[in-house]
């Protein structure tokens, strides 16, 4: 009997819900984004359900939207990811801890140290979500007058990846002898000085932290642009994708995994997890009523601001009851812009309708019973549309609890989701290989072989 493919599940937890009406839903925690007690409870609930990872997106500026919309946003204040995930590492044991860190507005030495530290603190559960940063206002917080050009951001990101992973390999796995009798703490022959000098970066090294428990923290990426797909095919181990339907998911799945094979990688070296907004009801009508109630809480100014961000273009002057006009290309996220334009075209939406969807959630959504949701997830898995999903909860805590208490047991009953974690590290649980040290080889593997 052929063993069933196993579903991988991440939880998108910053913001705790992307929906702008989430904090106003009856019973929701209005301060969930900025309340450690709540976030600790969410992480422990997700771990009890055997989720792969708790994922914190990040922003380096207040969202670039008018104050009329910003005043209604529950994402205006959130914790810095490394501080929060380090705290959550102490109150969890198995769930992965993934944070966004920008290759455009940070230094590779900082990034390498933070993720190496988190990996050691958590016992091998860290993941790095590589982003190039799409919000142009971030530039103003880092001494620049304008945002770095899109393709240049990706060129820098590729070099940035090489530097960070090179820094993680500064010490061989067996470098630290700690021999009190001889007084030798580490073997200098097992230390490598990177001495990188490239087009965008100059970093000497070595990193002043031992090699991470996982070798490297798991590399996570998002983005569907040509540059984003190419970077992901070369470097990503997990991809947080955004697709509206199974056909789009299948095309992306085949394209990126095919590209990865051209770089000598296995298709299994990458796990593709589309974002999925999930609302659970005891029957389909109840689930749809929850969705309708949630969407009714979106203000037009919030929706039009979300639309403007997605398009990279101010939509506030558009005729609300007309079709979306032609939108010129900008320096913002290309994949986000194209996705919204396609949505408006395919469903013949007016600007007002499109804003309502963007202020709520316009992407892939599973709205139904535990059985119908499990049916859809299993179909995506079997049809190679995904390796799993990055779950987006509609409101907290009830939306999270509904999924954990009702959908997860149904997935487990079908034999497509774990009942126990496979190992102690994020890599082990995702079925990803530990990367060998590029400068010293895999010392741990050598020791095992010799033994």
């Amino acid at each position: 009997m052929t063993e069933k493919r196993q579903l991988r599940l991440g939880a998108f937890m910053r913001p705790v819900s992307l929906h702008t009406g989430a904090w106003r839903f009856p019973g929701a925690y209005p301060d969930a984004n900025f309340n450690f007690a709540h976030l600790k409870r969410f992480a422990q609930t997700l771990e009890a359900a055997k989720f792969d990872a708790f994922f914190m997106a990040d922003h380096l500026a207040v969202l670039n939207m008018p104050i009329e919309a910003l005043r209604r946003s529950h994402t205006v204040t959130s914790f810095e990811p490394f501080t929060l995930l380090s705290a959550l590492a102490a109150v969890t044991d198995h769930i992965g801890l993934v944070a966004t860190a920008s290759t455009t507005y940070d230094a590779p030495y900082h990034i390498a140290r933070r993720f190496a530290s988190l990996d050691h603190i958590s016992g091998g559960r860290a993941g790095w979500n590589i982003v190039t940063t799409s919000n142009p206002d971030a530039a103003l917080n880092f001494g620049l007058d304008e945002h770095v050009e899109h393709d240049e951001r990706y060129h820098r990101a590729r070099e940035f990846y090489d530097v960070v992973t090179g820094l993680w390999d500064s010490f061989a796995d067996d470098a630290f002898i700690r021999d009190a009798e001889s007084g030798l703490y580490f073997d200098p022959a097992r230390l490598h000085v990177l001495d990188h000098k490239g087009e965008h970066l100059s970093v000497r090294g070595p990193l002043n932290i031992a090699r991470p428990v996982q070798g490297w923290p798991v590399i996570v990426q998002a983005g569907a642009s040509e540059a984003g797909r190419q970077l992901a095919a070369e470097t990503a181990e997990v991809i947080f994708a955004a697709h509206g339907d199974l056909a789009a998911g299948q095309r992306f799945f085949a394209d990126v995994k095919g590209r990865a094979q051209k770089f000598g990688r296995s298709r299994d070296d990458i796990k593709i997890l589309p974002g999925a907004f999930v609302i659970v009801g005891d029957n389909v009508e109840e689930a749809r009523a929850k969705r309708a109630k949630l969407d009714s809480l979106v203000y037009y100014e919030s929706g039009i601001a979300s639309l403007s961000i997605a398009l990279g273009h101010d939509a506030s002057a558009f005729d609300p009851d007309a079709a979306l006009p032609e939108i010129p290309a900008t320096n913002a996220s290309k994949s986000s812009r194209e996705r919204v334009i396609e949505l408006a075209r395919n469903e013949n939406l007016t600007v007002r309708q499109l804003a309502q969807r963007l202020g709520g959630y316009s992407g892939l959504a599973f709205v139904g019973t535990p059985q119908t949701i499990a049916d859809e997830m299993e179909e995506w898995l079997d049809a190679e549309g995904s390796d799993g999903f990055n779950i987006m909860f509609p409101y907290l805590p009830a939306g999270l609890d509904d999924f954990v208490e009702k959908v997860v047991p149904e997935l487990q009953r079908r034999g497509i989701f774990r009942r126990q974690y496979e190992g102690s590290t994020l890599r082990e649980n995702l079925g990803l290989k530990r990367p060998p040290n590029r400068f010293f080889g895999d010392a741990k593997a050598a020791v095992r072989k010799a033994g």
Side-chain angles (χ1 to χ4, degrees), residues 10-276:
F12 192 109
M13 297 304 294
R14 200 274 188 183
V16 293
S17 176
L18 286 176
H19 200 290
T20 61
W23 66 277
R24 301 177 60 221
F25 196 84
Y29 296 157
D31 63 341
N33 277 324
F34 205 65
N35 183 310
F36 180 71
H38 293 334
L39 291 163
K40 172 184 172 182
R41 186 265 210 204
F42 300 154
Q44 291 175 334
T45 300
L46 290 163
E47 182 169 81
K50 307 301 183 289
F51 264 65
D52 287 277
F54 181 109
F55 168 54
M56 281 202 76
D58 193 27
H59 303 283
L60 297 176
V62 171
L63 290 178
N64 52 322
M65 60 174 61
I67 195 66
E68 292 78 10
L70 193 62
R71 65 179 179 157
R72 302 189 185 281
S73 172
H74 67 132
T75 66
V76 71
T77 181
S78 296
F79 288 111
E80 187 280 320
F82 283 92
T83 308
L84 176 63
L85 293 184
S86 295
L88 291 178
V91 295
T92 56
D93 296 306
H94 292 94
I95 194 166
L97 302 167
V98 180
T100 290
S102 175
T103 59
T104 303
Y105 299 112
D106 211 329
Y109 200 86
H110 282 316
I111 297 299
R113 290 188 76 219
R114 290 174 194 146
F115 279 103
S117 296
L118 179 61
D119 205 54
H120 281 288
I121 289 169
S122 66
R125 294 185 283 138
W128 173 27
N129 173 218
I130 299 176
V131 301
T132 63
T133 302
S134 60
N135 183 354
D137 285 359
L140 306 178
N141 292 334
F142 292 88
L144 299 178
D145 294 328
E146 59 183 26
H147 200 18
V148 179
E149 192 271 327
H150 181 274
D151 287 349
E152 183 181 345
R153 297 201 304 268
Y154 277 93
H155 291 151
R156 175 183 165 90
R158 184 63 183 83
E159 184 180 343
F160 201 106
Y161 163 88
D162 287 336
V163 173
V164 170
T165 54
L167 288 170
W168 285 334
D169 286 344
S170 293
F171 287 98
D173 289 312
D174 60 354
F176 292 90
I177 301 167
R178 301 186 180 95
D179 186 337
E181 185 174 342
S182 68
L184 188 63
Y185 193 81
F186 80 96
D187 180 356
R190 308 297 282 169
L191 170 66
H192 178 83
V193 177
L194 186 64
D195 199 21
H196 173 88
K197 291 181 174 62
E199 180 182 356
H200 300 279
L201 303 164
S202 177
V203 182
R204 180 181 181 275
L207 193 66
N208 57 350
I209 295 178
R211 193 165 191 246
V213 174
Q214 298 182 99
W216 303 349
V218 172
I219 305 297
V220 181
Q221 289 181 39
S225 68
E226 175 62 26
R229 291 184 189 217
Q230 195 67 11
L231 181 64
E234 291 184 51
T235 65
E237 296 173 295
V238 175
I239 299 177
F240 289 156
H243 308 302
D245 57 47
L246 177 56
Q250 289 173 311
R251 290 192 297 270
F252 183 86
F253 189 98
D255 177 46
V256 172
K257 295 210 175 192
R259 293 185 194 217
Q261 287 179 301
K262 294 177 182 177
F263 290 106
R265 307 181 68 195
S266 165
R267 290 167 66 86
D268 291 335
D269 289 343
I270 301 178
K271 309 299 180 184
I272 296 178
L273 310 184

Side-chain angles (χ1 to χ4, degrees), residues 346-414:
N346 290 346
E347 298 191 25
N348 197 29
L349 299 177
T350 65
V351 170
R352 187 186 305 278
Q353 291 168 328
L354 194 58
Q356 186 80 11
R357 292 283 287 277
L358 267 292
Y361 183 72
S362 61
L364 177 64
F366 299 142
V367 180
T369 67
Q371 292 74 29
T372 65
I373 291 168
D375 286 343
E376 291 185 271
M377 289 186 168
E378 190 167 15
E379 182 183 13
W380 276 70
L381 190 65
D382 290 343
E384 294 194 337
S386 75
D387 293 296
F389 299 94
N390 200 24
I391 303 299
M392 302 176 180
F393 301 106
Y395 37 79
L396 283 292
L400 184 157
D401 291 342
D402 285 343
F403 188 88
V404 164
E405 295 169 6
K406 300 174 182 180
V407 179
V408 167
E410 178 63 22
L411 297 172
Q412 291 171 331
R413 186 188 67 77
R414 297 177 186 217

